[in-house]
Amino acid sequence: MVCPLAQQNGLGARIVTSAVFFAVGSGLILHVRRALLRELQQIRKIAGAAQNVLLRPLPPRIDGLNIAAVQHSADHGAIVGGDLYEVIATEHGVRVVMGDVRGHGLAAIGTVAAVLGSFREAVHDEPELGCVLRRLERALARHLRERARAEHPSATGLDPESPVAEEFVTLLLLEIRRDDEMYVINCGHPWPYLLRSGLAPAGARGHAERLSSEEPLPPLGSFPLPAELPVEPCGQLLPGEALFLHTDGVEDARDSRGRFFPLYDALTEAVQVQPVSPQSVLRTVFAGLLRHSGGRPADDVALLVLRNDRGRVPVQHGTAVAQRVT
């Protein structure tokens, strides 16, 4: 309105006026876009920091164990999904949790926070693994009640028809003591694999086998825990041997033809490289999983590998010394 050219009716004046307004408008749009991008980057940085605090990166070594872990969220842009893991050295031994919350998204992240927060406290306080599990059960129940009240303020309890009432967590608790003895409680979670160096029965270098074939307990939250909790002894994790823990998103991943990911074959391939390295096992399995699923697994995925790098310290009970040296 104040541009002199705008008062003229010539074609040239109109073209110049339009170009001026186009340039001004484009500049304003670019300025707003840059401001929004800066704000989005800052929000992502804050969200990433918060998620890293929740599922914090594990150190490479804990009490003589070499550790490697990776987590992949099915939600685009999220670092943390519905899978959880933690490894903590305590006076009772190294204690490990691997879990999978039903579903994914923000609701699952809240459940992950409740379970992990309780685990990080309970492993130091409770001498028995079963007592740790009961602490996790109470923390999960408390979290679900609070979430149900937040979503339905008028409700007096946990409505059986509410989606919150169907929430559950598959959970595996593992304890590796100072004498390398392993004890496990499994609540509906896939059993870990034991990765061994040396010759397999078929003559191959290294082999993988399930740590146990026992029937697990129901997932946490679906049913009350029994009065007696079976803590299963799983032998020793000998020096040089490794454990591979995973969530069911690994074995349930499908390719374009609907075939499941062959986890056992991937582990068998990974242990051919001697000695068994947690980092190389992780790279081999995770790369194979991404190839199999076309780069986007449909479910959250978590992998954790622990190798015993402790020295061969003689023990006091019978034939265990010869067993540890072989």
Side-chain angles (χ1 to χ4, degrees):
M1 295 178 63
V2 298
C3 179
L5 291 174
Q7 310 302 322
Q8 301 179 19
N9 294 323
L11 179 60
R14 291 180 178 178
I15 292 175
V16 172
T17 303
S18 299
V20 170
F21 278 111
F22 178 78
V24 172
S26 298
L28 289 173
I29 291 172
L30 288 174
H31 176 73
V32 172
R33 182 175 181 273
R34 289 195 189 98
L36 290 175
L37 285 175
R38 284 195 298 270
E39 184 176 353
L40 180 60
Q41 290 172 352
Q42 182 66 14
I43 291 173
R44 284 181 173 175
K45 186 182 297 184
I46 295 172
Q51 292 178 88
N52 280 330
V53 170
L54 172 59
L55 196 63
R56 56 196 181 192
L58 296 175
R61 297 180 68 85
I62 294 179
D63 196 18
L65 301 179
N66 191 333
I67 298 173
V70 66
Q71 199 268 353
H72 183 276
S73 174
D75 288 341
H76 180 68
I79 300 174
V80 178
D83 292 348
L84 60 99
Y85 57 78
E86 182 63 284
V87 183
I88 299 177
T90 73
E91 61 179 311
H92 315 293
V94 175
R95 287 176 164 177
V96 183
V97 64
M98 172 70 80
D100 185 358
V101 176
R102 177 181 179 269
H104 46 80
L106 291 177
I109 292 176
T111 305
V112 168
V115 174
L116 278 180
S118 177
F119 175 80
R120 287 165 179 162
E121 290 291 329
V123 290
H124 293 288
D125 299 339
E126 303 294 345
E128 300 295 332
L129 209 55
C131 296
V132 175
L133 182 61
R134 294 197 187 279
R135 289 270 294 268
L136 300 188
E137 181 189 40
R138 291 196 295 270
L140 176 63
R142 184 166 56 248
H143 165 73
L144 295 181
R145 286 195 301 269
E146 292 172 354
R147 199 174 114 199
R149 283 197 295 266
E151 294 178 2
H152 305 282
S154 59
T156 57
L158 195 59
D159 185 359
E161 302 298 325
S162 169
V164 178
E166 300 177 358
E167 193 87 22
F168 63 83
V169 182
T170 68
L171 206 67
L172 184 128
L173 291 180
L174 170 70
E175 182 176 279
I176 305 174
R177 298 182 180 175
R178 293 308 306 248
D179 59 1
D180 300 332
E181 293 286 347
M182 295 182 291
Y183 295 86
V184 178
I185 299 181
N186 190 345
C187 294
H189 199 79
W191 284 105
Y193 281 89
L194 180 62
L195 310 181
R196 284 182 164 149
S197 303
L199 294 179
R205 294 190 65 190
H207 63 289
E209 60 185 67
R210 290 276 190 185
L211 187 63
S212 174
S213 58
E214 294 294 323
E215 189 69 22
L217 296 170
L220 203 63
S222 55
F223 297 98
L225 290 175
E228 296 293 330
L229 291 176
V231 179
E232 184 176 356
C234 294
Q236 287 182 310
L237 183 66
L238 301 179
E241 294 182 344
L243 282 177
F244 178 88
L245 289 76
H246 64 288
T247 54
D248 60 7
V250 179
E251 292 178 300
D252 291 347
R254 297 174 182 252
D255 62 8
S256 57
R257 297 169 59 182
R259 295 174 300 183
F260 292 106
F261 176 63
L263 176 59
Y264 178 78
D265 293 341
L267 288 172
T268 302
E269 175 188 349
V271 297
Q272 300 308 305
V273 179
Q274 297 292 325
V276 175
S277 162
Q279 292 74 22
S280 64
V281 170
L282 214 59
R283 282 194 300 269
T284 300
V285 174
F286 192 60
L289 176 67
L290 292 180
R291 285 195 304 270
H292 184 84
S293 60
R296 281 308 286 185
D299 196 4
D300 298 328
V301 167
L303 310 174
L304 173 63
V305 186
L306 307 98
R307 186 184 67 192
N308 185 356
D309 282 358
R310 297 168 177 170
R312 289 177 171 84
V313 179
V315 292
Q316 301 299 321
H317 41 87
T319 59
V321 174
Q323 188 178 11
R324 290 170 62 87
V325 174
T326 57

